[in-house]
Amino acid sequence: MTERVRGGSMREVARIAGVSVSTVANVLSRPAIVAADTRRRVELAIDAVGYVPNGPARQLRGLPSLLVGSVTLDLANPFYAEVNRGIEDGLAPAGCLLLAGSTDLRPDKEEQLLHLLEQQGVRGIVIAPAGTDASPLLRLNARGIPVVLLDHPRERLDLCAVAVDDALGGRLAAEHLIGLGHRRIAFLGGAVDPAPVLRRREGVRAALAAAGLELLDIRVRIHPPSLLDAAAAAVDRILAASPRPTAVVCLNDTAALGLLDGLQAAGVRVPADISVIGYDDLPIARRLAPPLTTVSQPNYELGQVAAELLLDEGRPGHTHREIRFAPNLVVRASTGPPAHIDELR
Amino acid sequence: MTERVRGGSMREVARIAGVSVSTVANVLSRPAIVAADTRRRVELAIDAVGYVPNGPARQLRGLPSLLVGSVTLDLANPFYAEVNRGIEDGLAPAGCLLLAGSTDLRPDKEEQLLHLLEQQGVRGIVIAPAGTDASPLLRLNARGIPVVLLDHPRERLDLCAVAVDDALGGRLAAEHLIGLGHRRIAFLGGAVDPAPVLRRREGVRAALAAAGLELLDIRVRIHPPSLLDAAAAAVDRILAASPRPTAVVCLNDTAALGLLDGLQAAGVRVPADISVIGYDDLPIARRLAPPLTTVSQPNYELGQVAAELLLDEGRPGHTHREIRFAPNLVVRASTGPPAHIDELR
DNA sequence: TTGAAAGCGCTAACAA
DNA sequence: TTGTTAGCGCTTTCAA
């Protein structure tokens, strides 16, 4: 049993068509320049051997790669999954493929991933950085591999970036609650948070400070077993806090869902006793009981725009730039005035 | 501004270290064979020029590719996102990277994706087929590209496969309801469903038939705007059906969530008036109100095992095989006996 | 309009 | 222990 590995090469096509490899190459890349008759013979031969162009060989010759890397926290996370889908679709017009990897927020995994992507000769990399040190990214960029920052502010870096104003998102949530009359507000976060969550927390803190209030900072260990359960288990600490908060801003919708569930189990009414705000506006948010007030951001578009920026890096007059999206407060039924608003007046 | 594109090549390293390229190659692949002193000089040079191996060149020389393709319905779908994460992790020990694409259940997109992956010279492809025709997959396999079927039974195909017994999953759901006393049972599916959902529906139908019952088949248009809303909107049709069902098996948890919400809005109690079963056991399932009875499957492991099978294809004594997972009924509070069970006796 | 030839970066067989 | 050499499949001058 002869295992014909891969489709035939250009040489085989040339042999069958009775022409040289360069003529086959011409048929493929500038058909107009080849005599109609020859072209026909070559096309027949291409079908006959089931010719498939060899990407690596093309790349070795210096043609642009069709591979684009995506480096995120976790491609199973619904947020990054949507972002990746956005990247995939943004890449499609250029015929590029998505090489996706997860860092689990570990700088060592990130570094290794970047290394592998560089070896593959990717056309560029979209990354939601796990580490705080941007120098590996600048190094990649200096070596000619375009890097686009995702869900991350550009600051003074000489790179393209797609960012959401996370601090504003936090501020919107806090101001909504302050406007409702809340004075004791908690932020439910993880023991170790990715940068966007840190910025949300600081946004909340800043808004509270501007109103002369202090943030109650509650941290849960996320990993074992799950954010959902960790958030539900945080209820005790929230209720025990003194002064007890009348509102909780959660790091994301998943945490909010867990918290909602834990509060319900504890017999605490939402929003009558405690208001809850999520972040992300996952599809389920509006179907929860009560429908969740949350801050939305354009997940899919984030990825799509990142892909477009990346593809643009190859074009002549490209200059690095940052595209900034604004988060959006979506008020539903999980927030309301605090119970004893009168006595706060 | 001289843009030094990519890191230095092996030749540059060789030049700096004052040795030949093959010595550099030796340092990299069989360091033991190189004199300690020479090796040192080469290693220094490698650092000096920031050498990064060129993957495509290696591949052109015939070394195995580090790229593995994953072709699914939609990488933003939580189920496939988890599967992809499983593949990624299953690939990691071999240092392979995940090239992920979505078909949106369209055979033309699938074909194009497979084509691109073949061009890239991937080491293999894990695929949840969109089309019903397996011949393109067999063709790929014949060309030396291992193909592993995902979430798809192997049947008589000469390929590796990782499958879940979807018909059994449907049967478990149906038998649970029949055991509770239900006689009028509906399946809530999409207008066009992927194969696994079709098999679930047939499993339900078969279990009902075995009990002398007939399936009430309800289809909703999924795409615009969302499954969640489509399911919620299906409530009218479910309530209007005659005879009106006392239980609904949903194509997945998302649909169940939408349905739960629609039922609640319509003032129908779950499970007192209607029982609801989901499928997938998403993390949110146990946090819904009421906690959702559903059928679970090992999403992450599916991907992980698929990756392992794929990697095994490269090894000497490999024979194609199928790994089959059993779905699992998870009984929670969204199912119970029908209201008028007495009159059914 | 077609073909010959060089070379991208690397590996491996072989020679020195 | 190290170097020379051929060649993987392709693109791209340049010459015929």
Side-chain angles (χ1 to χ4, degrees):
Chain A
M1 146 178 152
T2 41
E3 182 180 341
R4 198 226 281 162
V5 171
R6 306 303 194 230
S9 68
M10 243 168 121
R11 204 165 54 195
E12 200 178 338
V13 172
R15 194 177 52 74
I16 300 214
V19 298
S20 72
V21 284
S22 34
T23 297
V24 177
N26 281 336
V27 169
L28 257 26
S29 44
R30 308 106 100 193
I33 219 150
V34 181
D37 181 52
T38 316
R39 189 171 48 207
R40 247 258 266 284
R41 278 205 330 278
V42 171
E43 279 160 353
L44 250 37
I46 283 177
D47 288 348
V49 308
Y51 173 71
V52 177
N54 182 315
R58 278 186 147 139
Q59 226 172 298
L60 192 53
R61 278 295 330 213
L63 299 211
S65 168
L66 293 185
L67 268 27
V68 170
S70 152
V71 178
T72 61
L73 213 63
D74 176 12
L75 56 84
N77 174 316
F79 168 73
Y80 290 113
E82 274 205 58
V83 169
N84 272 330
R85 183 62 211 255
I87 300 178
E88 181 191 4
D89 290 354
L91 251 24
C96 288
L97 290 168
L98 211 221
L99 210 35
S102 311
T103 64
D104 293 319
L105 206 53
R106 285 172 38 191
D108 59 320
K109 281 193 82 174
E110 174 177 300
E111 194 183 355
Q112 202 210 342
L113 219 37
L114 290 175
H115 209 75
L116 284 171
L117 291 174
E118 184 177 6
Q119 283 187 215
Q120 294 308 313
V122 294
R123 183 189 286 208
I125 295 175
V126 176
I127 180 170
T132 49
D133 178 17
S135 61
L137 304 179
L138 292 173
R139 215 199 57 225
L140 277 176
N141 205 58
R143 285 176 175 225
I145 302 182
V147 172
V148 174
L149 256 23
L150 181 81
D151 195 20
H152 196 94
R154 183 186 180 201
E155 286 163 8
R156 329 232 114 264
L157 298 173
D158 192 24
L159 299 172
C160 278
V162 181
V164 176
D165 192 336
D166 298 303
L168 172 58
R171 217 178 73 208
L172 290 174
E175 286 174 352
H176 168 62
L177 293 172
I178 294 170
L180 285 170
H182 293 271
R183 293 294 174 267
R184 290 164 297 187
I185 297 173
F187 185 91
L188 177 61
V192 176
D193 283 316
V197 171
L198 296 178
R199 291 189 296 267
R200 291 170 201 174
R201 179 192 281 117
E202 288 319 304
V204 172
R205 197 193 300 281
L208 292 185
L213 303 173
E214 211 173 307
L215 177 68
L216 174 58
D217 203 358
I218 299 203
R219 314 277 184 128
V220 296
R221 304 212 134 272
I222 292 189
H223 233 72
S226 90
L227 177 52
L228 217 44
D229 297 319
V235 167
D236 289 344
R237 282 159 58 197
I238 289 172
L239 298 183
S242 170
R244 174 171 153 179
T246 61
V248 181
V249 180
C250 300
L251 78 159
N252 65 22
D253 284 355
T254 306
L257 170 53
L259 179 60
L260 241 35
D261 190 52
L263 288 172
Q264 193 191 19
V268 178
R269 295 164 304 161
V270 175
D273 300 323
I274 289 194
S275 285
V276 173
I277 297 198
Y279 207 110
D280 281 347
D281 196 21
L282 295 185
I284 58 160
R286 21 186 298 269
R287 297 272 166 202
L288 295 181
L292 188 68
T293 295
T294 187
V295 179
S296 72
Q297 44 181 350
N299 311 351
Y300 177 88
E301 287 77 7
L302 240 41
Q304 207 181 21
V305 167
E308 281 160 11
L309 282 178
L310 184 26
L311 292 175
D312 190 65
E313 299 248 5
R315 292 193 259 278
H318 177 86
T319 50
H320 292 323
R321 61 181 179 281
E322 177 178 56
I323 308 268
R324 236 178 146 73
F325 288 92
N328 212 13
L329 179 70
V330 182
V331 178
R332 298 205 183 92
S334 67
T335 50
H340 307 298
I341 187 165
D342 300 331
E343 66 186 52
L344 293 168
R345 290 240 166 96
Chain B
M1 145 177 153
T2 41
E3 182 180 343
R4 197 225 283 160
V5 172
R6 305 304 192 228
S9 67
M10 242 165 120
R11 204 166 52 194
E12 201 179 338
V13 173
R15 193 178 52 74
I16 300 213
V19 296
S20 71
V21 284
S22 39
T23 297
V24 178
N26 282 336
V27 169
L28 259 26
S29 45
R30 309 105 101 192
I33 218 150
V34 181
D37 181 51
T38 317
R39 190 173 47 206
R40 247 255 267 286
R41 279 207 327 279
V42 171
E43 278 159 355
L44 250 37
I46 284 177
D47 288 348
V49 308
Y51 172 72
V52 176
N54 182 316
R58 279 185 144 139
Q59 224 171 300
L60 192 53
R61 276 298 329 220
L63 298 212
S65 168
L66 293 185
L67 268 27
V68 170
S70 152
V71 178
T72 62
L73 212 64
D74 175 12
L75 57 84
N77 174 316
F79 168 72
Y80 289 113
E82 273 205 59
V83 169
N84 272 330
R85 184 62 210 255
I87 300 178
E88 181 191 5
D89 291 353
L91 251 24
C96 289
L97 290 168
L98 212 220
L99 211 35
S102 311
T103 63
D104 293 320
L105 207 53
R106 284 172 39 190
D108 58 321
K109 281 193 84 175
E110 174 177 299
E111 194 182 356
Q112 203 210 340
L113 218 37
L114 290 175
H115 208 75
L116 284 172
L117 291 174
E118 185 177 4
Q119 282 187 214
Q120 294 308 313
V122 293
R123 182 190 285 206
I125 296 176
V126 176
I127 181 170
T132 49
D133 179 15
S135 60
L137 304 179
L138 292 173
R139 214 199 59 225
L140 278 176
N141 205 58
R143 285 178 175 223
I145 303 181
V147 172
V148 174
L149 257 24
L150 181 81
D151 195 21
H152 195 95
R154 183 185 179 199
E155 286 163 7
R156 328 233 113 264
L157 298 173
D158 192 24
L159 299 172
C160 278
V162 180
V164 176
D165 192 338
D166 298 303
L168 172 58
R171 218 179 72 207
L172 289 174
E175 286 174 351
H176 168 62
L177 294 172
I178 294 170
L180 285 170
H182 293 271
R183 294 295 175 266
R184 290 162 300 186
I185 297 173
F187 186 90
L188 177 62
V192 177
D193 283 316
V197 171
L198 296 178
R199 292 190 294 268
R200 291 171 201 173
R201 179 193 278 117
E202 289 318 305
V204 172
R205 197 193 300 280
L208 292 185
L213 303 173
E214 212 173 308
L215 177 67
L216 175 59
D217 203 359
I218 299 201
R219 315 277 185 126
V220 295
R221 304 211 134 275
I222 291 188
H223 231 72
S226 89
L227 175 53
L228 218 43
D229 297 319
V235 166
D236 288 346
R237 283 159 60 198
I238 289 171
L239 298 181
S242 170
R244 174 170 153 181
T246 61
V248 182
V249 180
C250 300
L251 77 159
N252 65 22
D253 283 354
T254 306
L257 169 54
L259 178 60
L260 242 33
D261 190 51
L263 288 172
Q264 192 190 19
V268 178
R269 295 164 303 159
V270 176
D273 300 325
I274 289 193
S275 285
V276 172
I277 296 197
Y279 207 110
D280 281 348
D281 196 20
L282 295 184
I284 57 160
R286 21 185 298 268
R287 296 271 166 202
L288 296 180
L292 188 67
T293 294
T294 186
V295 179
S296 72
Q297 45 180 348
N299 310 352
Y300 177 87
E301 288 77 7
L302 240 41
Q304 207 181 21
V305 168
E308 281 160 10
L309 282 177
L310 184 26
L311 293 175
D312 189 65
E313 299 248 7
R315 292 194 258 277
H318 177 86
T319 51
H320 293 323
R321 62 181 178 282
E322 176 178 57
I323 309 270
R324 239 178 144 73
F325 287 92
N328 212 13
L329 180 70
V330 182
V331 178
R332 297 202 184 94
S334 68
T335 49
H340 306 300
I341 187 167
D342 299 331
E343 66 187 52
L344 293 169
R345 292 239 167 98

